[in-house]
Amino acid sequence: MTALTSARRAPERSSAAGPGTEEVVFGKVGGSILLLCRNVSKEATEVLWFQGDPRSFPPLFSSRVAFPPDVRFSLVDNSSLSITELRAQDEGNYTCKEVLNKTDHEHRVQLLVANPPQSTPKCWAETSASGLMLQLVCSWPGGYPHPTLHWREEGQDLENSSWVLSSTSSSDTHVETLNSSHLSHRKVFKCVGSHVVRQEEPTCTVEIKIPSLESDPPKTCFVGDSVTLTCRVTESTPSARLTWLRGITQPGAEIQPGGRYLIAQEGNVSRLTIQNCSQATDGGCYVCKAQNPVGLRELFVCLTVKQPVNIVGVVGAVVVLSLLAVLTVTGVVLYYSPLLCLRGAAFRNQDSGDVLVLVDSDDDDGDGEEEAMSSSAKQEVLALVNGSSVRAPYLNCLMEGDDGEQHGRGSAEEMRGEETQGS
C-alpha cells in the first residue's frame, strides 16, 4: 500500500469539484490515501469527518465518539483521515469539521479514486479528409480519470510549433493536424502520456514515409478479351490513396470506374480491369499513382494488345506441311530405288566415267532362236552410266542374269562332251 500525498487538481479539471471544495486529491484503486484536515486548532474539542453532505448524521468518523468502525478508516494525529484499500465507491466529497467552544471550522476535500491505463499509448498517422494534411493520433484508453497526451518532434512539443494547424482532445485520444509542407520522408514524431497516479510517462512513436510501389510484369491482352493490371503499395505512412492514369496519351486524366473499366482496391493493392480490349485505344502504358501528405510516387504499368491467333489455321498448316514433307521424302526414295531389280545390285556399277555396253550373240546352233532373242534384247539397250542414270542398275542386272544362264549352258554342254568321249 502506498500513501499518496494530497495535491491540488489541475485548473482545467477544477470544474468537477463540488462547491466550497478547497482541495482535490487522487488515490489509486487498492492503494491508500491521507485526507488532511488543515488548520486544525489545538483548542479543538472534537474533529468530525463526513462523506457527502456535512450535515448528515451520523458522521463518518469522530475523534470522540466510537461509531461502528470500518477498519479501512482511521484518524491520524487525531485530525486527518486515513483510508486504506481504496475502492471506487470511496470517491466523493469529504468534509472535516473542527468543533471549538464558540465556532466551528470546516475544510472540504474531493477524493478521486483513479485507475491508470494498464497498456501503453497507441499512436498512428492518418490523412485528413481533404487528403492534404497529416493527422497524428494518439490514444491511451482504459484509465480514470483520462490521461494527458501530447505530441513531440525532436524533443519539442508540437503545440508550440507554427506548423500545427489544429489540436483536439476527446476522452482518451489526442489529435494534431499538421501542414504537409513541413513534412519529410522518415520524420519521427513521439506521443507522451501521463496519468495522475502513474509516475512514469510511457511513449509511442510514428515514422512517416513516402509511398513505395510495385506491380506485376507487363501484360498482354488479345482483342475482345479482358485483362487486369495490378499495383500495390509496399510502404506508406500514412496510408496512400491509389489512382490510375491513362499515361502519356492522357497524362492528367484519372481513370474513373465504369463502362469497360473496373477498379477495385483491397488494402494496399489496387486492380484495374479493362474489358473488351481494343488495339486502338487500350494499348500502351498506364500510370499507378500513390499519394499521401508526405509525398507521391508513380509507376508505369504497360499493356500490349494483340490480334487473336487462329489456332485452327496454324494446326492445319502444320498438318499440310507435314504431309508434304512425307510425300517428298517418299517420292525421292521411290525415284532412286531399283524397281525391277530383285538381286540387290542396283548401285554396284556407279563409276564416274561413261560406260558403253555392247552385247554380241554367240554362234551356237542348238540355241539359235533363244540367242537371237537375247541378242536382240541386249542390242536394243545402250546405256550411258554416269552416276545419275536410273536404268543402268536395271541393265546391269539383266546382263548379269544372261551371263549366268550362258555360263550354265556352257558347263552342261562340256559335261555331255566328256561323257561321250569316255564311252
Short mmCIF file of all heavy atoms in Angstrom, two decimals, residues 282-333:
data_model
loop_
_atom_site.label_atom_id
_atom_site.label_comp_id
_atom_site.label_asym_id
_atom_site.label_seq_id
_atom_site.Cartn_x
_atom_site.Cartn_y
_atom_site.Cartn_z
N ASP A 282 -6.59 0.89 -76.08
CA ASP A 282 -6.16 0.37 -74.79
C ASP A 282 -4.68 0.05 -74.70
O ASP A 282 -4.16 -0.13 -73.59
CB ASP A 282 -6.97 -0.88 -74.43
CG ASP A 282 -8.45 -0.57 -74.26
OD1 ASP A 282 -8.76 0.56 -73.85
OD2 ASP A 282 -9.28 -1.44 -74.56
N GLY A 283 -3.99 -0.10 -75.82
CA GLY A 283 -2.58 -0.43 -75.77
C GLY A 283 -1.74 0.73 -75.25
O GLY A 283 -2.08 1.89 -75.42
N GLY A 284 -0.63 0.41 -74.58
CA GLY A 284 0.27 1.44 -74.06
C GLY A 284 0.53 1.27 -72.59
O GLY A 284 0.27 0.21 -72.01
N CYS A 285 1.02 2.32 -71.95
CA CYS A 285 1.38 2.29 -70.53
C CYS A 285 0.38 3.09 -69.70
O CYS A 285 -0.02 4.19 -70.10
CB CYS A 285 2.79 2.82 -70.30
SG CYS A 285 4.09 1.75 -70.96
N TYR A 286 0.02 2.53 -68.55
CA TYR A 286 -0.84 3.19 -67.59
C TYR A 286 0.01 3.60 -66.39
O TYR A 286 1.05 3.02 -66.11
CB TYR A 286 -1.96 2.25 -67.15
CG TYR A 286 -2.93 1.92 -68.26
CD1 TYR A 286 -2.60 0.98 -69.24
CD2 TYR A 286 -4.18 2.53 -68.33
CE1 TYR A 286 -3.48 0.67 -70.27
CE2 TYR A 286 -5.07 2.23 -69.35
CZ TYR A 286 -4.71 1.30 -70.31
OH TYR A 286 -5.59 1.01 -71.32
N VAL A 287 -0.48 4.62 -65.66
CA VAL A 287 0.26 5.16 -64.51
C VAL A 287 -0.51 4.82 -63.24
O VAL A 287 -1.69 5.19 -63.10
CB VAL A 287 0.47 6.67 -64.61
CG1 VAL A 287 1.18 7.19 -63.37
CG2 VAL A 287 1.27 7.01 -65.86
N CYS A 288 0.16 4.11 -62.32
CA CYS A 288 -0.38 3.89 -60.98
C CYS A 288 0.21 4.96 -60.06
O CYS A 288 1.43 5.06 -59.92
CB CYS A 288 -0.02 2.49 -60.48
SG CYS A 288 -0.53 2.18 -58.77
N LYS A 289 -0.67 5.74 -59.44
CA LYS A 289 -0.23 6.89 -58.64
C LYS A 289 -0.63 6.68 -57.19
O LYS A 289 -1.79 6.38 -56.89
CB LYS A 289 -0.87 8.17 -59.19
CG LYS A 289 -0.53 9.43 -58.42
CD LYS A 289 -1.23 10.62 -59.04
CE LYS A 289 -0.96 11.90 -58.25
NZ LYS A 289 -1.68 13.06 -58.84
N ALA A 290 0.35 6.79 -56.29
CA ALA A 290 0.11 6.66 -54.85
C ALA A 290 0.53 7.97 -54.18
O ALA A 290 1.65 8.44 -54.38
CB ALA A 290 0.89 5.50 -54.27
N GLN A 291 -0.37 8.54 -53.35
CA GLN A 291 -0.09 9.83 -52.74
C GLN A 291 -0.58 9.85 -51.30
O GLN A 291 -1.66 9.37 -50.98
CB GLN A 291 -0.76 10.95 -53.54
CG GLN A 291 -0.46 12.35 -53.02
CD GLN A 291 -1.00 13.43 -53.94
OE1 GLN A 291 -1.79 13.16 -54.83
NE2 GLN A 291 -0.58 14.66 -53.71
N ASN A 292 0.25 10.42 -50.42
CA ASN A 292 -0.15 10.73 -49.05
C ASN A 292 0.40 12.11 -48.71
O ASN A 292 1.08 12.73 -49.54
CB ASN A 292 0.33 9.63 -48.08
CG ASN A 292 1.85 9.58 -47.96
OD1 ASN A 292 2.58 10.43 -48.47
ND2 ASN A 292 2.35 8.56 -47.28
N PRO A 293 0.13 12.65 -47.52
CA PRO A 293 0.60 14.01 -47.22
C PRO A 293 2.11 14.18 -47.26
O PRO A 293 2.61 15.31 -47.39
CB PRO A 293 0.06 14.25 -45.80
CG PRO A 293 -1.14 13.38 -45.69
CD PRO A 293 -0.79 12.16 -46.48
N VAL A 294 2.87 13.09 -47.18
CA VAL A 294 4.33 13.19 -47.20
C VAL A 294 4.85 13.37 -48.62
O VAL A 294 5.84 14.07 -48.85
CB VAL A 294 4.95 11.95 -46.55
CG1 VAL A 294 6.47 12.12 -46.39
CG2 VAL A 294 4.32 11.67 -45.20
N GLY A 295 4.20 12.76 -49.62
CA GLY A 295 4.65 12.86 -51.00
C GLY A 295 3.89 11.89 -51.88
O GLY A 295 2.91 11.27 -51.46
N LEU A 296 4.36 11.75 -53.13
CA LEU A 296 3.70 10.85 -54.07
C LEU A 296 4.73 10.09 -54.88
O LEU A 296 5.86 10.53 -55.06
CB LEU A 296 2.74 11.61 -54.99
CG LEU A 296 3.33 12.61 -56.00
CD1 LEU A 296 3.68 11.94 -57.31
CD2 LEU A 296 2.34 13.74 -56.26
N ARG A 297 4.28 8.93 -55.40
CA ARG A 297 5.09 8.09 -56.27
C ARG A 297 4.22 7.64 -57.43
O ARG A 297 3.01 7.43 -57.26
CB ARG A 297 5.64 6.88 -55.53
CG ARG A 297 6.75 7.21 -54.54
CD ARG A 297 8.08 7.41 -55.23
NE ARG A 297 9.11 7.89 -54.31
CZ ARG A 297 9.83 7.11 -53.53
NH1 ARG A 297 9.64 5.81 -53.55
NH2 ARG A 297 10.74 7.61 -52.73
N GLU A 298 4.86 7.45 -58.62
CA GLU A 298 4.15 6.97 -59.80
C GLU A 298 4.91 5.79 -60.39
O GLU A 298 6.14 5.74 -60.36
CB GLU A 298 4.00 8.08 -60.84
CG GLU A 298 3.10 9.22 -60.40
CD GLU A 298 2.96 10.29 -61.45
OE1 GLU A 298 3.81 10.31 -62.38
OE2 GLU A 298 2.03 11.11 -61.37
N LEU A 299 4.14 4.84 -60.95
CA LEU A 299 4.72 3.64 -61.53
C LEU A 299 4.00 3.32 -62.84
O LEU A 299 2.77 3.35 -62.90
CB LEU A 299 4.58 2.47 -60.56
CG LEU A 299 5.18 1.12 -61.00
CD1 LEU A 299 6.69 1.22 -61.09
CD2 LEU A 299 4.78 0.02 -60.02
N PHE A 300 4.79 3.04 -63.90
CA PHE A 300 4.20 2.70 -65.20
C PHE A 300 3.89 1.21 -65.24
O PHE A 300 4.74 0.37 -64.90
CB PHE A 300 5.15 3.07 -66.34
CG PHE A 300 5.17 4.54 -66.65
CD1 PHE A 300 6.11 5.37 -66.07
CD2 PHE A 300 4.24 5.08 -67.51
CE1 PHE A 300 6.14 6.72 -66.35
CE2 PHE A 300 4.25 6.43 -67.81
CZ PHE A 300 5.20 7.26 -67.22
N VAL A 301 2.69 0.88 -65.70
CA VAL A 301 2.26 -0.50 -65.92
C VAL A 301 1.83 -0.60 -67.38
O VAL A 301 0.85 0.02 -67.78
CB VAL A 301 1.11 -0.89 -64.98
CG1 VAL A 301 0.74 -2.36 -65.18
CG2 VAL A 301 1.48 -0.62 -63.53
N CYS A 302 2.58 -1.37 -68.19
CA CYS A 302 2.37 -1.39 -69.65
C CYS A 302 1.49 -2.57 -70.08
O CYS A 302 1.54 -3.65 -69.49
CB CYS A 302 3.71 -1.44 -70.37
SG CYS A 302 4.70 0.06 -70.10
N LEU A 303 0.73 -2.31 -71.15
CA LEU A 303 -0.19 -3.30 -71.69
C LEU A 303 -0.02 -3.36 -73.21
O LEU A 303 0.01 -2.33 -73.88
CB LEU A 303 -1.65 -2.94 -71.35
CG LEU A 303 -2.74 -3.77 -72.01
CD1 LEU A 303 -2.68 -5.21 -71.52
CD2 LEU A 303 -4.11 -3.16 -71.74
N THR A 304 0.09 -4.58 -73.74
CA THR A 304 0.16 -4.82 -75.18
C THR A 304 -1.12 -5.51 -75.63
O THR A 304 -1.52 -6.52 -75.04
CB THR A 304 1.37 -5.69 -75.53
OG1 THR A 304 2.57 -5.03 -75.08
CG2 THR A 304 1.47 -5.90 -77.03
N VAL A 305 -1.76 -4.96 -76.66
CA VAL A 305 -2.99 -5.54 -77.19
C VAL A 305 -2.68 -6.16 -78.56
O VAL A 305 -2.12 -5.50 -79.44
CB VAL A 305 -4.10 -4.47 -77.31
CG1 VAL A 305 -5.37 -5.10 -77.87
CG2 VAL A 305 -4.36 -3.83 -75.96
N LYS A 306 -3.03 -7.43 -78.75
CA LYS A 306 -2.73 -8.16 -79.97
C LYS A 306 -4.00 -8.77 -80.57
O LYS A 306 -4.98 -8.98 -79.86
CB LYS A 306 -1.72 -9.29 -79.70
CG LYS A 306 -0.35 -8.82 -79.26
CD LYS A 306 0.58 -10.02 -79.07
CE LYS A 306 1.98 -9.57 -78.67
NZ LYS A 306 2.89 -10.74 -78.48
N GLN A 307 -3.91 -9.02 -81.86
CA GLN A 307 -4.99 -9.75 -82.52
C GLN A 307 -4.93 -11.22 -82.09
O GLN A 307 -3.85 -11.78 -81.92
CB GLN A 307 -4.85 -9.66 -84.05
CG GLN A 307 -5.15 -8.28 -84.61
CD GLN A 307 -6.62 -7.92 -84.52
OE1 GLN A 307 -7.47 -8.79 -84.34
NE2 GLN A 307 -6.93 -6.63 -84.62
N PRO A 308 -6.07 -11.87 -81.93
CA PRO A 308 -6.06 -13.27 -81.50
C PRO A 308 -5.47 -14.17 -82.58
O PRO A 308 -5.62 -13.92 -83.78
CB PRO A 308 -7.53 -13.58 -81.25
CG PRO A 308 -8.28 -12.57 -82.06
CD PRO A 308 -7.45 -11.33 -82.06
N VAL A 309 -4.80 -15.22 -82.20
CA VAL A 309 -4.17 -16.17 -83.11
C VAL A 309 -5.19 -17.23 -83.54
O VAL A 309 -5.95 -17.76 -82.71
CB VAL A 309 -2.96 -16.85 -82.43
CG1 VAL A 309 -2.32 -17.85 -83.37
CG2 VAL A 309 -1.96 -15.79 -82.01
N ASN A 310 -5.24 -17.55 -84.92
CA ASN A 310 -6.14 -18.57 -85.45
C ASN A 310 -5.51 -19.94 -85.21
O ASN A 310 -4.68 -20.41 -85.99
CB ASN A 310 -6.39 -18.34 -86.93
CG ASN A 310 -7.46 -19.26 -87.49
OD1 ASN A 310 -7.91 -20.17 -86.82
ND2 ASN A 310 -7.87 -19.00 -88.72
N ILE A 311 -5.89 -20.59 -84.15
CA ILE A 311 -5.30 -21.86 -83.77
C ILE A 311 -5.60 -22.94 -84.80
O ILE A 311 -4.75 -23.75 -85.17
CB ILE A 311 -5.80 -22.30 -82.38
CG1 ILE A 311 -5.47 -21.21 -81.34
CG2 ILE A 311 -5.19 -23.63 -81.99
CD1 ILE A 311 -4.00 -20.95 -81.20
N VAL A 312 -6.86 -22.95 -85.32
CA VAL A 312 -7.23 -23.97 -86.31
C VAL A 312 -6.38 -23.84 -87.57
O VAL A 312 -5.91 -24.83 -88.14
CB VAL A 312 -8.73 -23.86 -86.63
CG1 VAL A 312 -9.12 -24.86 -87.73
CG2 VAL A 312 -9.55 -24.08 -85.38
N GLY A 313 -6.18 -22.60 -88.03
CA GLY A 313 -5.36 -22.39 -89.21
C GLY A 313 -3.93 -22.82 -89.01
O GLY A 313 -3.32 -23.42 -89.90
N VAL A 314 -3.37 -22.53 -87.80
CA VAL A 314 -1.99 -22.93 -87.53
C VAL A 314 -1.86 -24.44 -87.53
O VAL A 314 -0.94 -25.02 -88.12
CB VAL A 314 -1.54 -22.33 -86.19
CG1 VAL A 314 -0.17 -22.90 -85.79
CG2 VAL A 314 -1.47 -20.81 -86.27
N VAL A 315 -2.80 -25.12 -86.87
CA VAL A 315 -2.75 -26.58 -86.82
C VAL A 315 -2.89 -27.16 -88.24
O VAL A 315 -2.19 -28.10 -88.63
CB VAL A 315 -3.84 -27.12 -85.88
CG1 VAL A 315 -3.90 -28.64 -85.96
CG2 VAL A 315 -3.58 -26.66 -84.46
N GLY A 316 -3.83 -26.60 -89.04
CA GLY A 316 -3.99 -27.09 -90.42
C GLY A 316 -2.75 -26.90 -91.24
O GLY A 316 -2.35 -27.79 -92.02
N ALA A 317 -2.09 -25.76 -91.10
CA ALA A 317 -0.86 -25.52 -91.85
C ALA A 317 0.24 -26.49 -91.46
O ALA A 317 0.97 -27.01 -92.32
CB ALA A 317 -0.40 -24.08 -91.63
N VAL A 318 0.34 -26.78 -90.17
CA VAL A 318 1.35 -27.73 -89.71
C VAL A 318 1.08 -29.11 -90.29
O VAL A 318 2.00 -29.82 -90.75
CB VAL A 318 1.39 -27.76 -88.17
CG1 VAL A 318 2.28 -28.90 -87.68
CG2 VAL A 318 1.87 -26.43 -87.62
N VAL A 319 -0.20 -29.51 -90.29
CA VAL A 319 -0.54 -30.84 -90.84
C VAL A 319 -0.22 -30.91 -92.33
O VAL A 319 0.36 -31.90 -92.82
CB VAL A 319 -2.03 -31.14 -90.57
CG1 VAL A 319 -2.46 -32.42 -91.30
CG2 VAL A 319 -2.28 -31.26 -89.07
N VAL A 320 -0.58 -29.87 -93.09
CA VAL A 320 -0.32 -29.86 -94.52
C VAL A 320 1.18 -29.92 -94.81
O VAL A 320 1.64 -30.69 -95.67
CB VAL A 320 -0.96 -28.62 -95.17
CG1 VAL A 320 -0.49 -28.48 -96.62
CG2 VAL A 320 -2.48 -28.72 -95.13
N LEU A 321 1.96 -29.12 -94.08
CA LEU A 321 3.41 -29.14 -94.29
C LEU A 321 3.99 -30.50 -93.95
O LEU A 321 4.92 -30.99 -94.62
CB LEU A 321 4.06 -28.05 -93.45
CG LEU A 321 3.77 -26.60 -93.88
CD1 LEU A 321 4.39 -25.62 -92.91
CD2 LEU A 321 4.30 -26.36 -95.29
N SER A 322 3.48 -31.14 -92.91
CA SER A 322 3.97 -32.46 -92.53
C SER A 322 3.68 -33.47 -93.62
O SER A 322 4.53 -34.30 -94.00
CB SER A 322 3.33 -32.90 -91.21
OG SER A 322 3.64 -31.99 -90.18
N LEU A 323 2.45 -33.42 -94.19
CA LEU A 323 2.12 -34.34 -95.28
C LEU A 323 2.99 -34.11 -96.51
O LEU A 323 3.44 -35.05 -97.17
CB LEU A 323 0.64 -34.18 -95.64
CG LEU A 323 -0.37 -34.67 -94.57
CD1 LEU A 323 -1.79 -34.35 -95.01
CD2 LEU A 323 -0.20 -36.15 -94.32
N LEU A 324 3.22 -32.84 -96.85
CA LEU A 324 4.08 -32.54 -97.98
C LEU A 324 5.50 -33.07 -97.78
O LEU A 324 6.12 -33.60 -98.71
CB LEU A 324 4.12 -31.03 -98.23
CG LEU A 324 2.83 -30.40 -98.80
CD1 LEU A 324 2.97 -28.89 -98.90
CD2 LEU A 324 2.50 -31.00 -100.17
N ALA A 325 6.00 -32.93 -96.56
CA ALA A 325 7.33 -33.43 -96.27
C ALA A 325 7.38 -34.94 -96.44
O ALA A 325 8.33 -35.51 -97.02
CB ALA A 325 7.76 -33.03 -94.87
N VAL A 326 6.36 -35.65 -95.93
CA VAL A 326 6.32 -37.11 -96.04
C VAL A 326 6.26 -37.53 -97.51
O VAL A 326 6.96 -38.44 -97.96
CB VAL A 326 5.13 -37.67 -95.24
CG1 VAL A 326 4.95 -39.16 -95.53
CG2 VAL A 326 5.35 -37.43 -93.76
N LEU A 327 5.40 -36.85 -98.30
CA LEU A 327 5.28 -37.20 -99.71
C LEU A 327 6.58 -36.95 -100.48
O LEU A 327 6.98 -37.71 -101.36
CB LEU A 327 4.13 -36.40 -100.34
CG LEU A 327 2.72 -36.78 -99.85
CD1 LEU A 327 1.68 -35.85 -100.45
CD2 LEU A 327 2.40 -38.23 -100.20
N THR A 328 7.25 -35.85 -100.16
CA THR A 328 8.52 -35.53 -100.82
C THR A 328 9.57 -36.59 -100.55
O THR A 328 10.26 -37.09 -101.46
CB THR A 328 9.02 -34.16 -100.38
OG1 THR A 328 8.02 -33.18 -100.67
CG2 THR A 328 10.32 -33.79 -101.09
N VAL A 329 9.71 -36.97 -99.29
CA VAL A 329 10.70 -37.99 -98.92
C VAL A 329 10.36 -39.32 -99.60
O VAL A 329 11.23 -40.02 -100.14
CB VAL A 329 10.76 -38.15 -97.39
CG1 VAL A 329 11.66 -39.33 -97.01
CG2 VAL A 329 11.30 -36.86 -96.77
N THR A 330 9.06 -39.64 -99.61
CA THR A 330 8.65 -40.90 -100.24
C THR A 330 8.96 -40.89 -101.74
O THR A 330 9.44 -41.89 -102.31
CB THR A 330 7.15 -41.12 -100.01
OG1 THR A 330 6.89 -41.10 -98.61
CG2 THR A 330 6.71 -42.46 -100.60
N GLY A 331 8.68 -39.77 -102.42
CA GLY A 331 8.98 -39.67 -103.85
C GLY A 331 10.45 -39.80 -104.15
O GLY A 331 10.86 -40.47 -105.12
N VAL A 332 11.30 -39.17 -103.35
CA VAL A 332 12.74 -39.26 -103.56
C VAL A 332 13.22 -40.70 -103.41
O VAL A 332 14.01 -41.23 -104.19
CB VAL A 332 13.48 -38.33 -102.60
CG1 VAL A 332 14.98 -38.57 -102.65
CG2 VAL A 332 13.18 -36.87 -102.94
N VAL A 333 12.72 -41.36 -102.36
CA VAL A 333 13.13 -42.75 -102.13
C VAL A 333 12.70 -43.64 -103.28
O VAL A 333 13.45 -44.48 -103.78
CB VAL A 333 12.55 -43.25 -100.79
CG1 VAL A 333 12.79 -44.75 -100.62
CG2 VAL A 333 13.17 -42.49 -99.63
#
